[in-house]
Amino acid sequence: MKHDRILIIGAGGQIGAVLSEALREVHGTDNVIASDLRQLDGHSGPTEILDALDASALEAAVKKWRVNQIYHLAAILSATGEKDPMRAWDINMRSLFNVLETSRICNLKKVYFPSSIAVFGREAAHRNTPQYEVLIPETVYGISKVAGENWANYYYRRYGLDVRSMRYPGIIGYQSMPGGGTTDYAVDIYHYAVQQKPYECFLTQDTSLPMLYMPDAIRATLELMEAPANRLSVRTSYNLAGMSFTPAEIAASISKQVPGFRITYKPDFRQAIADSWPASIDDSAARNDWGWKPEFDLDAMTKDMLHHLALKYGLKEVV
Ligand code: NAD
Ligand code: AKB
C-alpha cells in the first residue's frame, strides 16, 4: 500500500508543533516531514529547513521527500502583521502562491491551508456569524486570509487541486506558545495562573471571542483532511467553532482551580482587532458536511491546561 507523504510548512509554530506529531501517529513517523525557517528540535520524525518564499527550494523538498500532501501553516498572524503590513502581505501571499503552484505542478493529492475568524470584520453579524457572510477584514492578516481562501477555491475549481481549509478561532494549547495573534492572551493567562502570578490582559474584560482547545483543533484538521471529497460543499474555508468566552470568563474559570488568581486589564492596539472580530461562529456547514463536533468547553479546557502546565513547570498539581 502506498502511504501518504506529508510536508508541513511552519511546523515550528504553535499549531505545527502539535499537528506534526498527530499526523505522524496517523501516517507513520517517517512519512511526515516537518519544516520551518529554522532547525526544528524535539521532533520524532524527519525535519527540513525550508523558506516557503523560496519556490525552487519548496519544489526540491517536495521531490526529495516524494511528498503528496502539503500542510501550509506558515503565516504572520494578526497582531504581528499590523506592525509591518507589507511584510505580512508578502509572506502570507507569496508563500501560499508557492504552495499552490508547486502542488499543481507536482500533481499533489491534497493541500491544507488554515484560514481564520480574522476574515470577518465589523460589517459581519457579530454573533453566530454565518458561513457565507460579508468579508471586510480590518487587518492585513485578515485580508490575506480572505484572498487565500479565494485562491484555494480558484485552484480547486480551475485545476482540480484538492485544497481544504477551515477558519480556526483562537487556538489554545499547553504544548507550544502562540505566535503573535490577538487571541494569544488566552494561552498566556494559563502560564501566569499556574505559576500563581497575576495576569495583565491586553483586552477588556468583556471582549468575547471564538476559541478552540488544541486537541479539538487537531482533530478537526485531521477529520477535514480525511473526509470524502464529495462531502465537502465549501471550497473557500469552513467556519469552525468550539467555545466563546471573555477574559473575565476565562479568569473566573481559572479561579475555580486557582483560588485567588488575579487579573487586571490594560487594552492595547489588539483591542481594535478583537472588536472587529465575531463573538461567536455558526459552524453548521462543518457539522453537516463532515461531522464536526467540539469536545471541550471552557472549564474542561481550563482543567486540562492547568494540569499539563503544572507538569511542564515541574509544579505541584494545581488541580
Ligand atoms: P505561528 O506563528 O505559531 O507559527 C508559524 C510558523 O511559520 C513559525 O514557526 C514560523 O517560523 C514559520 N514561518 C514564518 N515564515 C515562514 C516562511 N517564509 N517559511 C517557512 N516557515 C515560515 O502560527 P500558528 O499559530 O501555528 O498558526 C498556523 C496557521 O494557522 C497560520 O496560517 C495561522 O494563520 C493559522 N491560524 C492560527 C490560529 C491560532 O490561534 N494559532 C488561529 C487561526 C488561524
Ligand atoms: C490571531 O489572533 O491572529 C490568531 C487568529 C484567530 O487567527 N489566533
Side-chain angles (χ1 to χ4, degrees):
M1 186 182 118
K2 187 178 174 299
H3 287 287
D4 285 319
R5 276 258 170 144
I6 294 172
L7 175 67
I8 308 178
I9 299 171
Q14 187 201 2
I15 297 171
V18 189
L19 185 60
S20 305
E21 294 308 320
L23 284 168
R24 285 179 173 134
E25 276 177 27
V26 176
H27 296 275
T29 308
D30 293 336
N31 290 323
V32 177
I33 296 88
S35 77
D36 208 297
L37 288 173
R38 58 190 164 76
Q39 181 60 47
L40 296 171
D41 299 321
H43 276 251
S44 63
T47 61
E48 172 99 15
I49 298 177
L50 179 66
D51 183 349
L53 300 183
D54 185 341
S56 40
L58 174 56
E59 190 174 329
V62 165
K63 289 181 174 156
K64 172 183 159 188
W65 294 100
R66 300 190 320 280
V67 160
N68 68 359
Q69 294 188 32
I70 294 179
Y71 284 60
H72 176 41
L73 304 180
I76 304 299
L77 273 65
S78 60
T80 305
E82 290 311 286
K83 293 177 184 160
D84 191 345
M86 288 303 137
R87 176 173 168 268
W89 176 259
D90 183 48
I91 291 174
N92 292 1
M93 294 314 298
R94 206 143 53 89
S95 66
L96 178 63
F97 287 137
N98 288 343
V99 167
L100 292 173
E101 267 302 273
T102 303
S103 303
R104 181 183 70 79
I105 291 163
C106 298
N107 208 14
L108 298 202
K109 188 172 141 192
K110 280 181 204 165
V111 176
Y112 179 66
F113 159 69
S115 184
S116 163
I117 54 162
V119 293
F120 299 112
R122 276 167 229 263
E123 284 76 8
H126 192 57
R127 296 200 183 275
N128 223 14
T129 311
Q131 175 68 47
Y132 292 107
E133 177 59 301
V134 59
L135 302 178
I136 310 179
E138 294 180 19
T139 59
V140 70
Y141 171 66
I143 299 172
S144 75
K145 290 296 186 188
V146 173
E149 291 184 1
N150 281 295
W151 277 104
N153 187 50
Y154 180 84
Y155 268 73
Y156 173 70
R157 308 251 170 236
R158 169 97 199 249
Y159 303 116
L161 183 64
D162 190 356
V163 192
R164 302 182 180 197
S165 178
M166 66 183 77
R167 295 168 176 157
Y168 289 136
I171 306 297
I172 298 161
Y174 58 85
Q175 301 94 328
S176 46
M177 294 306 285
T182 303
T183 58
D184 291 11
Y185 90 85
V187 178
D188 296 340
I189 193 170
Y190 286 112
H191 287 261
Y192 280 75
V194 81
Q195 297 177 84
Q196 309 282 340
K197 292 181 185 165
Y199 181 68
E200 184 178 89
C201 184
F202 57 76
L203 299 180
T204 59
Q205 61 175 346
D206 55 356
T207 307
S208 182
L209 287 171
M211 303 278 186
L212 187 65
Y213 194 33
M214 185 70 83
D216 277 339
I218 299 297
R219 187 170 51 78
T221 308
L222 300 182
E223 285 176 4
L224 173 64
M225 290 304 278
E226 287 305 316
N230 62 8
R231 297 290 305 273
L232 306 182
S233 64
V234 178
R235 284 296 184 163
T236 48
S237 191
Y238 278 96
N239 275 7
L240 191 78
M243 59 191 105
S244 284
F245 55 77
T246 64
E249 286 164 344
I250 193 174
S253 177
I254 290 170
S255 295
K256 291 181 202 164
Q257 313 288 336
V258 185
F261 173 65
R262 278 187 299 120
I263 184 167
T264 52
Y265 302 94
K266 193 175 176 196
D268 65 14
F269 73 99
R270 289 167 282 195
Q271 183 66 44
I273 300 176
D275 287 343
S276 73
W277 288 355
S280 60
I281 298 286
D282 172 4
D283 62 358
S284 47
R287 288 173 186 258
N288 293 337
D289 285 5
W290 45 276
W292 165 241
K293 192 167 185 287
E295 283 176 2
F296 283 85
D297 64 12
L298 176 55
D299 282 342
M301 175 176 77
T302 296
K303 199 158 188 258
D304 204 56
M305 279 293 286
L306 292 173
H307 167 72
H308 285 284
L309 286 178
L311 295 177
K312 200 169 184 149
Y313 283 103
L315 301 166
K316 201 163 83 47
E317 281 270 13
V318 289
V319 289

